[in-house]
Amino acid sequence: MLIERSCEFIAQLVNGQLIGKSAQMISGVSSLQNAKATDAAFWRNTGAGSDMYYQQIIPSKAGVVLVPMKFDLPVQEGRAWIKCVNPSLSFAKVTAMFKESMSYTPGIAKSACIEESAEIGKDVHIGENVVIGKRVKIGANTAILPGVVLGEDVCIGEKCILYPHVVIRDQCIVGNHVIIHPGVVIGGDGFGYEDSPEGYQKIPQVGIVQIDDDVEIGSNTTIDRARFGRTWIQKCTKIDNLVQIGHNVVIGENCFIVSQVGIAGSTTVGNNVVIYGQAGIAGHLIIGDKTTIKAQSGVTKNVPAESELFGSPAKSRDDYCKDQMYIKKIPSIVKEIEELKKLSLFSLLTEELKLRLLSELKIKK
Amino acid sequence: MLIERSCEFIAQLVNGQLIGKSAQMISGVSSLQNAKATDAAFWRNTGAGSDMYYQQIIPSKAGVVLVPMKFDLPVQEGRAWIKCVNPSLSFAKVTAMFKESMSYTPGIAKSACIEESAEIGKDVHIGENVVIGKRVKIGANTAILPGVVLGEDVCIGEKCILYPHVVIRDQCIVGNHVIIHPGVVIGGDGFGYEDSPEGYQKIPQVGIVQIDDDVEIGSNTTIDRARFGRTWIQKCTKIDNLVQIGHNVVIGENCFIVSQVGIAGSTTVGNNVVIYGQAGIAGHLIIGDKTTIKAQSGVTKNVPAESELFGSPAKSRDDYCKDQMYIKKIPSIVKEIEELKKLSLFSLLTEELKLRLLSELKIKK
Amino acid sequence: MLIERSCEFIAQLVNGQLIGKSAQMISGVSSLQNAKATDAAFWRNTGAGSDMYYQQIIPSKAGVVLVPMKFDLPVQEGRAWIKCVNPSLSFAKVTAMFKESMSYTPGIAKSACIEESAEIGKDVHIGENVVIGKRVKIGANTAILPGVVLGEDVCIGEKCILYPHVVIRDQCIVGNHVIIHPGVVIGGDGFGYEDSPEGYQKIPQVGIVQIDDDVEIGSNTTIDRARFGRTWIQKCTKIDNLVQIGHNVVIGENCFIVSQVGIAGSTTVGNNVVIYGQAGIAGHLIIGDKTTIKAQSGVTKNVPAESELFGSPAKSRDDYCKDQMYIKKIPSIVKEIEELKKLSLFSLLTEELKLRLLSELKIKK
């Protein structure tokens, strides 16, 4: 279902200032390069000014372009600019507005298997082959896409999207406005065993996973249930694909966790922490607020707030840079030693003089 | 369905010694901190004695607490302690006993698609939307949860749990008491190609995967089928989430493989090997029994039994520590060279003396 | 359905030269070690000549063995050799020929949910519980196995195999002869946010993923859709299990990407690039053609064509080896400094002489 909006409407939506006169109706979004006349696009001027303008905006076919406030180049006939404080952010709003027209229609697919005791909220969309266990609760306006499996007593908030084949096991709790991408597994057993003479004995994992409001979780990520209590992802945290989060981990608010990161059991991550791709954090640690952990780092110790960590095992930026610098110094050290050898008076002597000197000096050696 | 057990019953179950008199019926398990009066909990005294007792056990509401044998502090009225050799292990038994009451009821969901030639054992549970191929065999008391797909000729043993969306491709074999978490893929094609002038040519992977008794496999882990013969996970080995196991890999008994580990094709891992998170092992290697491979290590060579490996590329503990120590030494080396320069007699001379000495000494340089 | 082929037929199929007379009919393939009389096997002679022949081929029960051209050892009665230029490659052809008899029968399972507007090609196989969205197009002879979910407007080419539980979200495009293993997610949202004072704001990801002809994608791999435009995997590229490919990544032709690799957003990888296991590539980079990136490397900079990269952060082979060599040199440096100290004339003097000399030399220090 196509929706169309005027340039005025879009300017108002983003609280921006419309420049130029355009009767063009806009029905989608695109990059400057690929835009059609019916598309909105945006320009992130990084300072290069009019050159980039002539290279990128003029040749673009976009009907309307979101530009920064300081942008003052002339608009072409029949097109429009919208000046805004943060064109990228404003553009996200425009995109979301067009996306809304593609949202999921309320209703329950015939092939869905839903236990009678489940409570399904208002205007929920439930797709094909969804399986919903006993006493599950689903909030209003949530979309559960094909093949999702929800165990007994799972509780999902309002306005969530659970993409195909998400699995959430018994008793886990998901807040409002949570987005969970395909193949995510929430509430699998934590990896807990007692080492006994007869081999590893499984420790039952009877806790849950709790996901707070406005969290997003990337495709095929796994979040294990707690031994007791909860594994807990706090509000506004964003998690990328193929991330592993162990049992009893707590992740604070507004964290940003990039693909293939692994966080071992019982570690607590503070608020506003950024963890880049493929980094790992050992178990039972405390990571302070506003810490940044660089890609492929391996964190093995507690970390105070506002740390910046590099390498495996992870070190502070200072220590990491020093190590790198030290290694780089080795060739010059080798050279200096050669120089020293030459400079060593002793090595400069003829064999005859060496012997004479040694005897004269009553060498201790 | 709630079950209740007396404190006496629990003491007997774990072969422990009941201290105190309590009529409290127990119906669940929890941590000391979160326990209700109807819960059992346990206390792992790590030596800190009575202080921790007053901080943790006294304020807890747990009706009964499993404690170590040497524990000798007084029990409160209406509560009970159970002394046992290993409270954590005993507690696992108690938890398992309560869990049993939550196990899957035998029966086959209407939406399950099962080929006629499949042989389904006694008291098997088959969930919604399960797909079972031709000639599949499933042992007694096994639970196959929603959305599992089993290819032709797959053979599953007794008392297994296959969680939602597990995929096991044709001909693969799974033993008894195996637990496979959601999203696991067993028997996908190995990553095998011939490099030819027309590009990579796929090498058909006609072998299988064999999983032996008492293995557990974590969510979204992938285990590839062999080119010929089998990829083989031997009994009692435990594998965490998001692990990759290549074609023709053999993993011995009672291994412990943590999340996001990758093991490349045709490598053989011995018995009782421990591999920590995000470590990688190259292909065609042999890893000796009782080896420990630390997190994020990269193993590139065969390894004798009882090795301990660190770093990427992985080294023995000794070599790894030496390298780290060496790097740390560089600043002191730099200092020493400065000292040496100063000490060098030559550098100590006045320019005039240098020249005189050089000529006197008939310098070779 | 068993198929049988004569040794002559197989020799012709691989354009090889039949040695020996054998009436044995062949109905399968195996390794030399496990072969039955009805199996074909192959021998990759790596130079060790007749010894290996007597150890491997003579004891094997394989009815026919593919051998290299230079192979000239005698054939046993009732068996046959087939000489070929590349026995391993030829063997792949033989295996594929037998596999073909096991391919999927055309038809649509009753439990499949297919929108009316979808266009399904000739001789397509659609398995149980498959969900196909509006306006999806599927080319002839493609097999869609149980539980696959295809979003709206997805387009799949001819002769593809989509294994169980593959998820492809709206609008993504897949070429011909593409193999996608179980649990793969194509077209999940890219990990894109604007950092604002109210926390991370989701940037809508309105682009697609495009997969070209002859690509293969391993189990549980995730490929994110573009912000705009497309994430693009070009023809003949092979991707292993649990790989992460970020939004707007472009991967050239005939690349080889091993398990658990991660490639961050907007990076462009050239043609014929090989990336080994667990390596990571940062975002917005350009990786030149024919580059090789070793296991666990972390690439942080643009890379010219034909580079070879090691370590994290990744370096050229030369720089990497130098660093390793430098570190190894440290103990010898420490020794040399000790020697230098001894050699330093100054240190060799008696205390008395030191004082005399220093005064005579009018030391500056």
Side-chain angles (χ1 to χ4, degrees):
Chain A
M1 191 182 61
L2 195 72
I3 62 166
E4 292 192 326
R5 295 283 179 247
S6 67
C7 293
E8 284 79 10
F9 180 95
I10 291 171
Q12 218 166 347
L13 175 74
V14 301
N15 203 16
Q17 182 186 347
L18 187 66
I19 310 292
K21 278 184 188 174
S22 168
Q24 179 68 57
M25 292 302 280
I26 302 298
S27 60
V29 291
S30 185
S31 63
L32 277 170
Q33 214 182 339
N34 300 320
K36 304 185 294 281
T38 54
D39 284 335
F42 83 102
W43 189 52
R44 193 198 306 239
N45 182 358
T46 50
S50 57
D51 276 9
M52 293 298 277
Y53 165 73
Y54 287 111
Q55 282 168 37
Q56 297 188 352
I57 298 190
I58 294 293
S60 170
K61 298 204 171 82
V64 63
V65 182
L66 278 57
V67 297
M69 293 306 288
K70 62 183 175 188
F71 187 86
D72 57 5
L73 288 159
V75 64
Q76 296 155 281
E77 175 120 9
R79 298 179 71 186
W81 313 153
I82 295 171
K83 288 190 185 184
C84 29
V85 177
N86 183 337
S88 170
L89 196 57
S90 296
F91 187 71
K93 273 193 195 165
V94 178
T95 311
M97 185 262 297
F98 282 112
K99 269 280 216 182
E100 223 156 293
S101 68
M102 293 166 39
S103 69
Y104 305 95
T105 44
I108 297 177
K110 273 188 193 158
S111 61
C113 308
I114 303 178
E115 290 282 348
E116 262 184 49
S117 54
E119 296 175 29
I120 310 296
K122 218 188 138 195
D123 291 337
V124 164
H125 168 98
I126 296 182
E128 305 289 353
N129 303 324
V130 166
V131 179
I132 293 182
K134 288 173 182 157
R135 298 171 301 277
V136 166
K137 287 179 191 162
I138 298 177
N141 296 300
T142 281
I144 313 278
L145 301 190
V148 168
V149 177
L150 305 179
E152 298 184 356
D153 300 294
V154 164
C155 187
I156 310 282
E158 301 187 352
K159 294 191 181 167
C160 294
I161 305 180
L162 275 59
Y163 281 101
H165 295 324
V166 165
V167 174
I168 304 184
R169 280 185 47 204
D170 304 359
Q171 285 113 31
C172 294
I173 297 169
V174 173
N176 301 310
H177 318 111
V178 172
I179 302 173
I180 308 181
H181 288 282
V184 167
V185 177
I186 292 177
D189 286 352
F191 196 59
Y193 302 88
E194 282 285 331
D195 197 358
S196 82
E198 303 85 50
Y200 296 105
Q201 302 299 312
K202 184 173 176 70
I203 297 175
Q205 306 287 311
V206 300
I208 65 162
V209 176
Q210 178 181 327
I211 310 283
D212 288 350
D213 293 354
D214 297 298
V215 167
E216 182 162 357
I217 302 172
S219 304
N220 285 348
T221 279
T222 58
I223 304 179
D224 282 350
R225 71 195 307 116
R227 176 172 182 183
F228 305 119
R230 58 186 172 185
T231 305
W232 187 11
I233 314 295
Q234 295 177 5
K235 69 178 185 183
C236 298
T237 280
K238 310 300 182 187
I239 300 176
D240 200 352
N241 300 345
L242 293 170
V243 169
Q244 152 69 2
I245 294 180
H247 51 174
N248 290 90
V249 165
V250 176
I251 297 183
E253 300 179 4
N254 211 43
C255 291
F256 188 84
I257 301 177
V258 178
S259 179
Q260 295 176 320
V261 162
I263 303 179
S266 299
T267 280
T268 296
V269 174
N271 299 325
N272 302 299
V273 171
V274 176
I275 311 177
Y276 287 99
Q278 299 183 331
I281 306 181
H284 299 274
L285 299 182
I286 294 171
I287 308 298
D289 292 351
K290 296 188 185 171
T291 287
T292 298
I293 299 173
K294 292 294 185 173
Q296 297 187 325
S297 298
V299 182
T300 57
K301 293 176 188 165
N302 289 341
V303 170
E306 303 192 32
S307 302
E308 197 177 2
L309 296 172
F310 292 75
S312 172
K315 296 166 183 176
S316 72
R317 187 187 194 92
D318 263 22
D319 287 352
Y320 181 79
C321 291
K322 265 184 208 158
D323 277 10
Q324 296 302 307
M325 201 186 60
Y326 289 156
I327 293 172
K328 286 222 164 57
K329 254 188 190 155
I330 298 175
S332 70
I333 288 175
V334 171
K335 255 189 207 158
E336 290 202 276
I337 287 177
E338 290 310 306
E339 288 304 309
L340 271 172
K341 280 184 194 161
K342 284 182 201 153
L343 279 179
S344 159
L345 258 190
F346 195 76
S347 66
L348 297 175
L349 303 180
T350 61
E351 281 310 303
E352 192 197 328
L353 273 167
K354 270 188 202 176
L355 291 173
R356 220 171 73 197
L357 198 60
L358 284 171
S359 76
E360 272 182 26
L361 293 172
K362 300 172 191 171
I363 295 307
K364 290 175 296 185
K365 189 188 180 186
Chain B
M1 192 183 58
L2 194 73
I3 61 164
E4 293 192 324
R5 294 283 178 246
S6 67
C7 293
E8 284 79 11
F9 180 94
I10 292 171
Q12 218 168 347
L13 175 74
V14 301
N15 202 17
Q17 184 185 347
L18 186 66
I19 310 293
K21 279 183 189 174
S22 169
Q24 179 68 59
M25 292 303 281
I26 302 299
S27 59
V29 290
S30 184
S31 63
L32 278 171
Q33 215 182 338
N34 299 320
K36 304 186 293 283
T38 53
D39 285 336
F42 83 102
W43 188 52
R44 196 198 302 239
N45 182 357
T46 51
S50 57
D51 276 12
M52 294 297 277
Y53 166 72
Y54 288 110
Q55 283 170 36
Q56 297 189 351
I57 298 191
I58 293 291
S60 169
K61 297 204 171 85
V64 63
V65 182
L66 278 57
V67 296
M69 293 305 290
K70 63 184 173 186
F71 186 85
D72 56 5
L73 288 159
V75 64
Q76 294 155 282
E77 175 119 12
R79 298 179 70 185
W81 313 154
I82 296 172
K83 288 191 185 181
C84 28
V85 177
N86 183 337
S88 171
L89 196 56
S90 294
F91 187 72
K93 273 191 195 167
V94 178
T95 313
M97 185 262 299
F98 284 113
K99 269 281 213 182
E100 223 156 289
S101 68
M102 294 165 39
S103 69
Y104 304 95
T105 43
I108 298 177
K110 272 188 193 158
S111 61
C113 308
I114 303 177
E115 290 282 346
E116 261 184 51
S117 53
E119 296 174 28
I120 311 295
K122 219 187 139 196
D123 290 337
V124 165
H125 168 98
I126 296 182
E128 305 288 354
N129 303 324
V130 166
V131 179
I132 294 182
K134 287 174 184 156
R135 298 172 301 278
V136 166
K137 285 179 192 163
I138 297 178
N141 297 298
T142 280
I144 312 280
L145 301 190
V148 168
V149 177
L150 304 180
E152 298 183 357
D153 300 295
V154 164
C155 187
I156 311 281
E158 303 186 352
K159 295 188 182 170
C160 294
I161 304 179
L162 274 61
Y163 280 101
H165 294 325
V166 166
V167 175
I168 305 184
R169 280 186 46 205
D170 305 358
Q171 285 111 31
C172 293
I173 297 169
V174 173
N176 301 310
H177 318 109
V178 172
I179 301 172
I180 307 180
H181 287 282
V184 167
V185 177
I186 292 177
D189 286 353
F191 197 59
Y193 302 87
E194 282 287 329
D195 196 0
S196 82
E198 301 88 50
Y200 296 105
Q201 302 300 312
K202 184 173 176 66
I203 297 175
Q205 307 285 311
V206 298
I208 66 163
V209 176
Q210 178 181 328
I211 310 282
D212 289 349
D213 293 354
D214 297 298
V215 166
E216 183 161 357
I217 302 172
S219 304
N220 284 347
T221 280
T222 58
I223 304 179
D224 282 351
R225 68 194 311 114
R227 178 174 183 183
F228 304 118
R230 58 187 171 182
T231 305
W232 187 11
I233 315 295
Q234 295 176 4
K235 68 178 184 182
C236 298
T237 279
K238 311 300 182 186
I239 300 175
D240 200 352
N241 300 345
L242 293 170
V243 169
Q244 151 70 2
I245 294 180
H247 51 173
N248 290 88
V249 165
V250 176
I251 297 184
E253 301 179 3
N254 211 43
C255 291
F256 188 85
I257 301 176
V258 177
S259 180
Q260 295 176 321
V261 162
I263 303 179
S266 300
T267 280
T268 296
V269 174
N271 299 324
N272 301 299
V273 171
V274 176
I275 310 177
Y276 287 99
Q278 297 183 333
I281 306 181
H284 298 274
L285 298 183
I286 294 172
I287 308 298
D289 292 350
K290 297 186 185 173
T291 287
T292 299
I293 299 173
K294 292 293 186 176
Q296 295 187 328
S297 300
V299 181
T300 58
K301 293 176 187 168
N302 289 341
V303 170
E306 303 192 30
S307 302
E308 198 177 1
L309 296 173
F310 292 74
S312 174
K315 295 168 184 176
S316 71
R317 188 186 193 94
D318 263 22
D319 286 352
Y320 181 79
C321 291
K322 266 185 208 157
D323 278 11
Q324 296 303 307
M325 201 186 60
Y326 289 155
I327 294 171
K328 287 222 165 56
K329 256 189 189 155
I330 298 174
S332 71
I333 288 175
V334 170
K335 256 189 209 159
E336 290 203 275
I337 288 177
E338 289 313 305
E339 288 304 308
L340 272 171
K341 280 184 192 160
K342 283 180 201 155
L343 280 178
S344 159
L345 258 188
F346 196 77
S347 66
L348 298 174
L349 304 179
T350 61
E351 281 310 302
E352 190 198 331
L353 273 167
K354 271 188 200 174
L355 291 172
R356 218 173 72 196
L357 198 60
L358 284 171
S359 77
E360 272 181 27
L361 292 174
K362 301 170 187 171
I363 297 305
K364 292 174 294 187
K365 189 187 180 183
Chain C
M1 191 183 59
L2 193 74
I3 61 165
E4 292 192 325
R5 294 285 179 245
S6 68
C7 293
E8 284 79 11
F9 180 95
I10 292 171
Q12 218 167 348
L13 175 74
V14 301
N15 204 15
Q17 184 186 343
L18 186 66
I19 310 292
K21 277 183 189 175
S22 169
Q24 180 68 58
M25 292 303 281
I26 302 299
S27 59
V29 290
S30 185
S31 63
L32 277 171
Q33 215 181 338
N34 299 321
K36 302 186 295 282
T38 53
D39 284 337
F42 84 101
W43 190 52
R44 193 197 306 237
N45 182 359
T46 51
S50 55
D51 277 10
M52 296 297 277
Y53 165 71
Y54 288 110
Q55 283 168 37
Q56 297 189 351
I57 298 191
I58 293 292
S60 169
K61 297 206 171 81
V64 63
V65 182
L66 278 57
V67 296
M69 293 306 287
K70 63 182 173 187
F71 186 85
D72 57 5
L73 288 160
V75 65
Q76 293 156 282
E77 175 120 10
R79 298 179 70 185
W81 314 152
I82 296 171
K83 288 190 185 184
C84 28
V85 176
N86 184 338
S88 170
L89 196 57
S90 295
F91 188 72
K93 273 192 195 166
V94 178
T95 312
M97 185 262 299
F98 283 112
K99 270 279 218 184
E100 223 156 288
S101 66
M102 293 164 38
S103 68
Y104 305 96
T105 43
I108 297 177
K110 273 186 191 159
S111 61
C113 308
I114 304 177
E115 290 281 348
E116 261 185 51
S117 54
E119 297 174 29
I120 311 296
K122 217 188 140 196
D123 291 336
V124 164
H125 168 98
I126 296 183
E128 305 288 353
N129 303 324
V130 166
V131 178
I132 294 182
K134 288 174 182 156
R135 298 171 301 278
V136 166
K137 286 180 193 164
I138 297 177
N141 297 298
T142 280
I144 312 280
L145 300 191
V148 168
V149 177
L150 304 180
E152 297 183 357
D153 301 294
V154 164
C155 188
I156 312 281
E158 302 187 353
K159 294 190 182 168
C160 295
I161 304 179
L162 274 60
Y163 281 101
H165 294 324
V166 166
V167 175
I168 304 183
R169 281 185 47 206
D170 304 0
Q171 284 112 31
C172 294
I173 296 169
V174 173
N176 301 311
H177 318 110
V178 172
I179 301 172
I180 307 181
H181 287 282
V184 167
V185 177
I186 292 176
D189 286 354
F191 196 59
Y193 303 88
E194 282 286 330
D195 196 0
S196 83
E198 302 87 48
Y200 296 105
Q201 302 300 312
K202 184 172 176 68
I203 297 174
Q205 307 286 311
V206 299
I208 65 162
V209 177
Q210 178 181 328
I211 311 281
D212 289 350
D213 294 352
D214 298 298
V215 167
E216 183 162 356
I217 302 172
S219 304
N220 284 347
T221 279
T222 58
I223 304 178
D224 282 351
R225 69 194 310 113
R227 178 174 182 179
F228 304 119
R230 59 186 169 183
T231 305
W232 186 12
I233 315 294
Q234 294 177 4
K235 70 177 183 182
C236 299
T237 280
K238 311 300 180 186
I239 299 176
D240 201 353
N241 300 345
L242 293 169
V243 169
Q244 151 70 1
I245 295 179
H247 51 175
N248 290 89
V249 165
V250 176
I251 297 183
E253 300 179 4
N254 211 43
C255 291
F256 188 84
I257 300 177
V258 178
S259 179
Q260 296 175 320
V261 161
I263 303 178
S266 300
T267 281
T268 295
V269 174
N271 299 326
N272 302 299
V273 171
V274 176
I275 311 178
Y276 287 99
Q278 298 183 331
I281 306 180
H284 298 273
L285 299 183
I286 294 172
I287 308 297
D289 292 350
K290 297 187 185 172
T291 287
T292 299
I293 298 174
K294 291 293 185 176
Q296 297 187 325
S297 299
V299 182
T300 57
K301 294 176 187 167
N302 289 342
V303 170
E306 304 192 29
S307 301
E308 197 177 3
L309 296 172
F310 291 74
S312 172
K315 296 168 183 176
S316 72
R317 186 186 194 92
D318 264 21
D319 287 353
Y320 181 80
C321 290
K322 266 185 206 156
D323 277 11
Q324 296 303 308
M325 201 185 59
Y326 290 156
I327 293 171
K328 286 223 166 57
K329 256 189 188 155
I330 298 174
S332 70
I333 289 174
V334 171
K335 256 190 209 158
E336 290 203 277
I337 287 176
E338 289 312 305
E339 288 302 309
L340 272 170
K341 280 183 193 162
K342 284 182 202 153
L343 280 178
S344 159
L345 257 189
F346 195 76
S347 65
L348 297 175
L349 302 180
T350 61
E351 280 310 302
E352 193 198 324
L353 274 167
K354 271 188 197 172
L355 290 173
R356 220 173 72 196
L357 198 60
L358 283 170
S359 77
E360 272 182 25
L361 294 172
K362 302 170 190 174
I363 296 305
K364 294 174 292 186
K365 189 189 178 183

